[in-house]
Amino acid sequence: KYGLDGLDPTEVIEYLDRLPVSERPDDLIASVTPNDLALTSPAAELTLPLPEESFYLSIAPYMEQTHECYHHSLTTCLGELSNENVHVKIVDDAGEILVDEHTTTFDNGFVGFWVPSDTKGTIEITHDDLVGTTQFTATEESATCITDLHLA
């Protein structure tokens, strides 16, 4: 019903995060925790394990308004900057560059990246002449939804 047959958990996350907001199913809740993808519909509940060595960071840069979130909801979370060009740089505390790329925010206003588990570091996003930074951790207790990156 949701077009997810045959997809592994990482593919489900990437598919749902990139789905246009107007096409998102309103009867499916999909939440990303550090270890699992939880899918809940009226018909069933399913928890799928994520790869142990990877952690999904979903980041919503903002200029004026944001929302509090901890575990990213692939079907309901909305960020402020929909379909905007940004540059994302993610560096761990050891100085290793994990991500350094130009991309476009998804229709939901987020960008998503897989980083190594058990890392800490800094996220920097540039949009036009605005820059924002925030810290991240990628541990079993960490947030998967980063909504405190203010562009100024």
Side-chain angles (χ1 to χ4, degrees):
K1 174 180 177 179
Y2 304 111
L4 307 177
D5 287 345
L7 300 179
D8 68 35
T10 62
E11 292 169 326
V12 171
I13 290 170
E14 292 178 20
Y15 171 79
L16 289 174
D17 234 0
R18 287 167 173 74
L19 197 63
V21 172
S22 64
E23 296 177 21
R24 291 177 184 221
D26 58 4
D27 63 343
L28 176 67
I29 300 297
S31 296
V32 182
T33 70
N35 298 312
D36 302 299
L37 170 62
L39 301 168
T40 305
S41 74
E45 291 185 21
L46 180 64
T47 301
L48 304 171
L50 296 177
E52 290 183 18
E53 71 282 353
S54 297
F55 187 96
Y56 191 67
L57 284 175
S58 193
I59 310 154
Y62 76 97
M63 294 183 305
E64 296 180 22
Q65 65 182 29
T66 188
H67 67 283
E68 287 193 31
C69 188
Y70 201 78
H71 293 141
H72 182 55
S73 173
L74 298 161
T75 51
T76 62
C77 278
L78 295 175
E80 184 181 52
L81 300 175
S82 175
N83 302 304
E84 294 287 338
N85 294 324
V86 294
H87 181 263
V88 179
K89 188 171 186 178
I90 302 175
V91 180
D92 70 16
D93 281 350
E96 182 179 345
I97 297 172
L98 305 176
V99 175
D100 188 3
E101 68 179 66
H102 292 279
T103 191
T104 303
T105 58
F106 308 137
D107 195 44
N108 66 354
F110 282 80
V111 290
F113 294 96
W114 292 96
V115 298
S117 295
D118 298 321
T119 56
K120 296 178 182 181
T122 303
I123 303 165
E124 178 183 278
I125 295 184
T126 305
H127 172 64
D128 296 332
D129 60 349
L130 304 174
V131 179
T133 62
T134 192
Q135 301 297 307
F136 79 91
T137 59
T139 66
E140 289 190 17
E141 297 83 32
S142 298
T144 59
C145 193
I146 308 298
T147 59
D148 66 348
L149 195 144
H150 183 237
L151 298 171

